[in-house]
Amino acid sequence: GENVEQHPSTLSVQEGDSAVIKCTYSDSASNYFPWYKQELGKRPQLIIDIRSNVGEKKDQRIAVTLNKTAKHFSLHITETQPEDSAVYFCAASDSNYQLIWGAGTKLIIKP
Amino acid sequence: DTEVTQTPKHLVMGMTNKKSLKCEQHMGHRAMYWYKQKAKKPPELMFVYSYEKLSINESVPSRFSPECPNSSLLNLHLHALQPEDSALYLCASSQDGEGTEAFFGQGTRLTVV
């Protein structure tokens, strides 16, 4: 079955710098890769997603890249702000279209 | 309306109690989900309803019983829970359950005493 690994588990960056979170997946049939942001005590919210027929997608300060050959995808946040502090989860769809989640990355933005 | 609404927000129950968690969405989504989330962990899939039929049950103990009365509502009936079942229970919905965005409710924080 599908397995998703996410690194790092904690990432601390200076405000204004960029942050990169990486995930690898095992099932080459996976075709949907969302990223969720979860602030403390709140619900997970989709921030960006990408499908396997696309290599990169960008939405303002957030971008996701996908390398199907290597089976990894990454989240890039530029010009980080204090409100970017949260836990970020990557996920990949399995053969039943259900999401297999990474373990999460706690992103800390230092002022 | 892009909201998934869950009630109650908080619930404390004894191990002999019976309670229910409720979830509602009016986005016309045909797939609805129950997840369990422990602190500092990702959401863990429990059940999936697709077009009002239970399509996935991830080996969840029978003390958790899902119900989908109609396409907008999803319930989770709880009975004889254990303290280790204390967690955040999240409901979610998606358009068709086939690789589309899942919208989450704010969750029910459950404590079993």
Side-chain angles (χ1 to χ4, degrees):
Chain A
E2 176 70 285
N3 182 51
V4 175
E5 294 193 1
Q6 183 173 347
H7 300 281
S9 57
T10 305
L11 178 60
S12 184
V13 301
Q14 205 70 39
E15 182 178 349
D17 288 350
S18 295
V20 180
I21 303 170
K22 299 182 179 183
C23 289
T24 59
Y25 61 99
S26 59
D27 187 350
S28 56
S30 292
N31 61 9
Y32 177 62
F33 307 91
W35 285 89
Y36 282 85
K37 174 184 180 182
Q38 188 173 27
E39 296 177 56
L40 190 63
K42 297 197 174 177
R43 74 187 82 188
Q45 288 194 292
L46 183 79
I47 54 170
I48 197 166
D49 57 11
I50 193 167
R51 298 190 183 277
S52 57
N53 58 349
V54 175
E56 184 174 357
K57 185 176 178 181
K58 191 173 181 182
D59 182 4
Q60 299 184 336
R61 297 187 297 110
I62 295 172
V64 56
T65 58
L66 172 65
N67 183 326
K68 282 198 69 180
T69 304
K71 289 190 276 190
H72 65 69
F73 56 113
S74 300
L75 177 71
H76 305 253
I77 305 174
T78 58
E79 300 171 15
T80 52
Q81 300 168 4
E83 53 265 35
D84 295 329
S85 294
V87 177
Y88 291 80
F89 293 101
C90 65
S93 58
D94 69 8
S95 56
N96 290 319
Y97 302 105
Q98 301 315 315
L99 296 180
I100 306 301
W101 295 69
T105 296
K106 183 177 181 179
L107 178 61
I108 301 166
I109 308 300
K110 296 180 290 185
Chain B
D1 182 5
T2 57
E3 282 287 318
V4 176
T5 304
Q6 287 187 245
T7 55
K9 287 187 173 54
H10 301 276
L11 179 62
V12 179
M13 61 185 290
M15 290 187 283
T16 58
N17 290 161
K18 284 185 183 182
K19 296 285 184 183
S20 296
L21 309 185
K22 297 186 182 300
C23 176
E24 189 169 4
Q25 57 88 15
H26 295 289
M27 294 179 277
H29 288 173
R30 304 314 301 265
M32 295 186 76
Y33 313 79
W34 280 115
Y35 283 89
K36 173 183 177 180
Q37 188 177 27
K38 290 280 208 179
K40 301 183 181 180
K41 297 288 186 185
E44 181 184 335
L45 185 64
M46 300 174 73
F47 302 104
V48 180
Y49 274 84
S50 180
Y51 292 85
E52 299 165 50
K53 287 185 168 42
L54 183 64
S55 61
I56 293 178
N57 175 344
E58 292 286 0
S59 303
V60 179
S62 59
R63 57 186 184 268
F64 295 92
S65 175
E67 178 196 17
C68 188
N70 61 53
S71 59
S72 300
L73 294 174
L74 186 66
N75 299 323
L76 186 63
H77 303 297
L78 314 173
H79 174 54
L81 295 193
Q82 303 297 308
E84 59 265 28
D85 296 321
S86 298
L88 180 67
Y89 287 84
L90 292 160
C91 173
S93 70
S94 67
Q95 187 172 353
D96 56 14
E98 296 188 2
T100 54
E101 178 181 355
F103 291 82
F104 284 84
Q106 81 276 22
T108 293
R109 176 72 60 188
L110 175 67
T111 303
V112 182
V113 297

